Amino acid sequence: MNKKLKPLLLALIILIILLIIFLPKLFSSGESEMTAFNPSRMNVVIPVTAHIVSYETLSNKIFSTGTVLANEEVELRSEISGKIIQIHFSEGRFVSKGDLLVKINDADLQAELRKAESKVKLMEDRETRHKQLVENQMISREEYENTFNELEASKAERDLIKAQIDKTEIRAPFNGVVGLREVSEGSFVTTSTIIARLQNLSNLKIDFAIPQKYASMVKISDELFFNISGSDFQYKARIYAIEPKIDPSTRTLKLRAICTASYGDLFPGAFANVEVNLKETEQAVLIPTIAIVPELKGQSVYLFKAGSVIPQKVEIGLREENRVQVLSGLEEGDTVITSGILQIRPGAKVKITDFN
């Protein structure tokens, strides 16, 4: 047993001796390497790029998505159930307000109407005779009033049947273009059957929404631009209606704009990319976004002054794609460092190699 332990003990002693010899050298080597790469200890001058602050005009824009809508749109449906006996429109064609589009079978109602009109004619003759008799005091006033009431009831019954007949005729509620029809002559339709869709394309509307933080910045008659998928052409429109309530589920405000120009390549239902121009800000300070240093209590930037790095607290505002507005903390002529942000520290020596 002792013979087996001796080699293990010997190897352990050799390992401990080697660690005692080489471990201090490893630490000293690591420290020397850290010192070599630590600019603050070696006073190395770091090359950086910078941006000189100047006042600019900031165009505040909102980008959103929306949907193109027809000026007016309706699904043509029947008010009563029945069989279609006539279709008076052609698909994709223009129709005028009041034009008869579809006729539902009304043979039974026409028969009831003739019966009701005969009854009205009979009651009118009786009312005329009773009126002469009551004037000659040959019948009582009460008897005449009963006859008169029966006449009025007959007229009401006739008018009700006429109203039912009117419901068998589907007419265009406004000028527009009829789309593809979903039925044919002889089809039985109910109140839920879509016969076709009618759209007024004299003007087009654009529905879109913006975040609630911009709600106070938009107003009626503000101009906007939009384009549709597959085209870079910029269409113009103006806001004409604003929803008076923020959507609580999305925290957005819904708006509607109208495009009065006639564009033949725009169709209702198209997806639109919307750009709204808000009020421009004069003498705005804009710097590259990469210059911002996030901190626990806000943001800051590094300024270049006399070859050294000076931290400066800033308050930011609107953001563009590559730039950000600085509301306070910078003045015209300040030099903001825009590269090497992770390597430099306050007080470090730097050299500007380029401006952006």
Side-chain angles (χ1 to χ4, degrees):
M1 188 72 180
N2 293 334
K3 291 180 179 180
K4 293 182 179 180
L5 290 174
K6 285 182 179 180
L8 293 175
L9 291 173
L10 182 60
L12 182 61
I13 293 170
I14 293 173
L15 180 60
I16 293 172
I17 294 172
L18 291 175
L19 289 174
I20 294 172
I21 294 172
F22 291 104
L23 196 58
K25 292 184 178 181
L26 290 174
F27 278 116
S28 62
S29 175
E31 289 179 358
S32 63
E33 290 179 2
M34 291 176 63
T35 304
F37 287 95
N38 192 329
S40 61
R41 293 188 180 184
M42 300 299 294
N43 291 324
V44 174
V45 178
I46 305 174
V48 296
T49 59
H51 171 81
I52 298 178
V53 175
S54 61
Y55 292 129
E56 304 177 47
T57 299
L58 173 62
S59 297
N60 191 7
K61 298 180 180 180
I62 304 174
F63 296 94
S64 181
T65 57
T67 304
V68 178
L69 304 174
N71 185 42
E72 300 290 346
E73 180 178 359
V74 68
E75 293 179 342
L76 298 175
R77 302 173 188 258
S78 174
E79 293 186 71
I80 61 174
S81 299
K83 184 177 72 173
I84 295 177
I85 57 175
Q86 293 175 353
I87 294 179
H88 295 277
F89 68 89
S90 299
E91 296 169 291
R93 296 304 179 95
F94 180 84
V95 296
S96 299
K97 180 178 180 179
D99 285 353
L100 178 62
L101 304 179
V102 177
K103 178 65 178 178
I104 307 294
N105 182 29
D106 63 349
D108 53 341
L109 293 175
Q110 291 291 348
E112 290 183 17
L113 177 61
R114 290 193 296 271
K115 179 180 177 181
E117 287 179 339
S118 297
K119 184 177 180 180
V120 169
K121 182 67 171 62
L122 177 63
M123 294 305 302
E124 285 178 342
D125 293 341
R126 182 182 295 179
E127 188 271 340
T128 301
R129 292 194 302 270
H130 282 198
K131 186 177 182 180
Q132 295 174 350
L133 292 173
V134 76
E135 289 176 353
N136 295 326
Q137 298 182 352
M138 298 181 67
I139 61 173
S140 65
R141 187 73 182 178
E142 182 180 357
E143 188 175 353
Y144 167 74
E145 290 177 352
N146 290 336
T147 303
F148 180 80
N149 290 336
E150 289 180 10
L151 171 61
E152 293 300 312
S154 300
K155 289 181 178 179
E157 185 178 351
R158 179 197 60 187
D159 293 342
L160 178 61
I161 297 172
K162 285 184 176 180
Q164 292 294 322
I165 291 175
D166 289 341
K167 292 181 180 181
T168 65
E169 298 179 349
I170 302 174
R171 298 182 178 273
F174 48 78
N175 298 339
V177 177
V178 183
L180 305 180
R181 58 185 172 91
E182 306 291 339
V183 296
S184 302
E185 287 188 4
S187 299
F188 184 87
V189 295
T190 65
T191 55
S192 61
T193 304
I194 299 176
I195 296 173
R197 292 173 177 83
L198 176 65
Q199 301 186 77
N200 182 323
L201 305 178
S202 58
N203 295 315
L204 292 175
K205 300 173 182 176
I206 300 90
D207 269 9
F208 65 101
I210 60 173
Q212 66 175 22
K213 66 179 180 179
Y214 297 113
S216 61
M217 301 182 186
V218 294
K219 61 182 184 301
I220 301 297
S221 78
D222 279 352
E223 189 176 60
L224 62 85
F225 298 90
F226 69 96
N227 60 57
I228 58 176
S229 299
S231 174
D232 295 328
F233 184 80
Q234 292 286 325
Y235 304 94
K236 290 183 179 180
R238 287 192 178 276
I239 297 173
Y240 80 94
I242 300 176
E243 185 73 35
K245 177 186 177 183
I246 299 290
D247 188 337
S249 60
T250 60
R251 305 301 176 189
T252 58
L253 179 68
K254 190 175 180 179
L255 301 96
R256 182 168 291 174
I258 189 165
C259 179
T260 56
S262 177
Y263 297 107
D265 56 346
L266 278 181
F267 293 93
F271 176 86
N273 295 301
V274 181
E275 175 185 319
V276 183
N277 294 318
L278 302 180
K279 182 180 179 181
E280 292 186 343
T281 303
E282 302 290 340
Q283 293 189 331
V285 174
L286 298 172
I287 63 172
T289 306
I290 57 175
I292 298 296
V293 181
E295 297 180 345
L296 292 176
K297 297 183 179 180
Q299 293 85 21
S300 65
V301 297
Y302 288 140
L303 298 182
F304 175 83
K305 290 188 178 180
S308 298
V309 176
I310 305 297
Q312 175 63 48
K313 291 279 188 180
V314 294
E315 180 185 357
I316 63 174
L318 299 174
R319 290 180 179 268
E320 294 184 345
E321 184 176 359
N322 298 313
R323 301 191 302 172
V324 63
Q325 178 190 18
V326 177
L327 301 177
S328 63
L330 295 179
E331 296 180 357
E332 187 176 19
D334 286 344
T335 302
V336 179
I337 299 173
T338 58
S339 69
I341 302 299
L342 298 178
Q343 288 76 32
I344 60 178
R345 295 292 181 270
K349 300 297 182 181
V350 295
K351 177 179 67 175
I352 298 176
T353 59
D354 195 9
F355 291 92
N356 51 24

